[in-house]
């Protein structure tokens, strides 16, 4: 909780400092947009919705004028904000848009792992909605992308396997998801991710 609060404070401080600077000299729109989108993403993930509305309005107003990378970040932040409010349809729409933008930039190596993270987010939204078959398909894609980037035994792969195994368990029955969740447990044991390990075992 302390780490969450510190992260929120850092992002809000960045936005407020930029606002202060902008009173004295122009601040480049890209810088303003990225700081605001990052703050929105962090606060919405921590369900601090009372602090998000103005940030979301700024991101909505500026996103169309941004180059593809920052624009994708903005769409992802808006998706996170809508998911925190329980509006899963809009959340999926925004995160999918972020994914589509980054797909056009796949020639940049670092983009590939961002695509995997977005696929994870999309599968979680479908899990939240109870659309388990689609969640399973997207989660499997995320696992394969993460394996390609990190290798077989990375904790991020284990985390994605939990989503995939959960979705498969819901769509095809608990027994179908067990082998996937067992693989997640094998990866996460001893990795320092006890909270994720508990989720996989439950």
């Amino acid at each position: 909780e302390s780490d969450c609060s510190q992260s929120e404070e850092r992002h809000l401080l960045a936005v407020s400092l930029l606002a202060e600077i902008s009173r004295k000299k122009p601040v480049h729109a890209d810088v303003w947009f990225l700081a605001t989108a990052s703050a929105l993403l962090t606060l919405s993930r921590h369900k601090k919705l009372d602090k998000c509305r103005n940030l979301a309005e700024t991101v909505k107003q500026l996103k169309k004028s941004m180059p593809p990378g920052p624009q994708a970040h903005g769409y992802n932040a808006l998706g996170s904000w809508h998911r925190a409010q329980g509006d899963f349809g809009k959340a999926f729409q925004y995160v999918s848009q972020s994914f589509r933008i980054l797909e056009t930039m796949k020639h940049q190596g670092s983009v590939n792992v961002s695509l995997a993270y977005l696929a994870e987010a999309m599968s979680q939204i479908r899990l939240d909605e109870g659309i388990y078959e689609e969640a399973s398909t997207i989660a499997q894609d995320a696992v394969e992308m993460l394996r390609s980037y990190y290798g077989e035994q990375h904790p991020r792969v284990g985390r994605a396997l939990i989503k995939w195994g959960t979705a498969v368990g819901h769509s095809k029955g608990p027994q179908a998801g067990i082998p996937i969740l067992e693989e997640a447990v094998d990866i996460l044991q001893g990795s320092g991710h006890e909270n994720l390990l508990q989720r996989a075992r439950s």
Side-chain angles (χ1 to χ4, degrees), residues 17 39-41 43 45 52 57 85 92-93 101 113 166 190:
L17 286 173
L40 176 61
L41 188 63
L43 268 67
R45 283 176 176 169
C52 286
E57 288 305 316
Q85 297 177 90
F92 192 84
Q93 176 185 331
I101 291 169
V113 72
T166 302

Side-chain angles (χ1 to χ4, degrees), residues 12-33 35-36 58 62:
L12 287 173
L13 179 61
V15 172
S16 64
L17 286 173
L18 284 172
E20 186 66 30
I21 291 168
S22 69
R23 294 190 184 100
K24 300 173 184 175
K25 60 181 181 180
V27 173
H28 199 283
D30 286 17
V31 175
W32 184 265
F33 179 83
T36 306
T58 300
L62 292 177

Side-chain angles (χ1 to χ4, degrees), residues 146-157:
L146 288 165
R147 279 177 172 153
S148 174
Y149 189 84
Y150 286 118
E152 294 286 337
Q153 299 297 313
H154 195 277
R156 286 301 306 230
V157 175

Side-chain angles (χ1 to χ4, degrees), residues 158-202:
R159 172 176 163 173
L161 283 164
I162 293 173
K163 287 189 176 70
W164 183 23
T166 302
V168 168
H170 280 295
S171 63
K172 297 182 178 177
Q175 291 302 314
I178 285 174
I180 300 170
L181 292 170
E182 285 177 340
E183 186 180 352
V185 169
D186 290 343
I187 291 171
L188 294 169
Q189 275 181 329
S191 68
H193 292 74
E194 284 75 13
N195 58 329
L196 294 176
L197 192 57
Q198 185 59 41
R199 279 174 56 194
R201 285 174 169 157
S202 62

Side-chain angles (χ1 to χ4, degrees), residues 18-144:
L18 284 172
E20 186 66 30
I21 291 168
S22 69
R23 294 190 184 100
K24 300 173 184 175
K25 60 181 181 180
V27 173
H28 199 283
D30 286 17
V31 175
W32 184 265
F33 179 83
L34 285 170
T36 306
S38 295
L40 176 61
L41 188 63
T42 299
L43 268 67
S44 59
R45 283 176 176 169
H46 299 155
K47 302 292 193 294
K48 299 301 175 68
L49 299 182
D50 56 316
K51 299 177 181 178
C52 286
R53 189 167 301 280
N54 289 339
L55 297 171
E57 288 305 316
T58 300
V59 172
K60 283 179 181 178
Q61 288 168 15
L62 292 177
K63 69 180 187 305
K64 293 286 189 182
S65 63
M66 292 295 111
Q71 191 178 90
H73 184 49
Y75 277 113
N76 186 30
L78 288 168
S80 180
W81 181 55
H82 282 287
R83 181 183 170 223
Q85 297 177 90
D87 188 345
F88 301 125
K90 275 194 175 178
F92 192 84
Q93 176 185 331
Y94 277 122
V95 179
S96 297
Q97 181 66 14
S98 178
F99 189 93
R100 286 192 292 271
I101 291 169
L102 288 186
E103 270 197 311
T104 68
M105 303 166 62
K106 286 175 73 171
H107 60 283
Q108 301 178 24
S110 61
V111 166
N112 293 327
V113 72
S114 297
L115 284 168
Y117 295 158
L118 289 171
E120 271 196 283
M122 289 158 65
S123 69
Q124 184 60 60
I125 293 167
R126 287 306 193 222
L127 275 171
D128 293 340
E129 289 181 286
I131 305 175
Y132 298 122
E133 191 167 341
E134 187 177 357
S136 173
T137 301
I138 299 170
Q140 183 177 6
D141 289 343
V143 167
E144 295 308 317

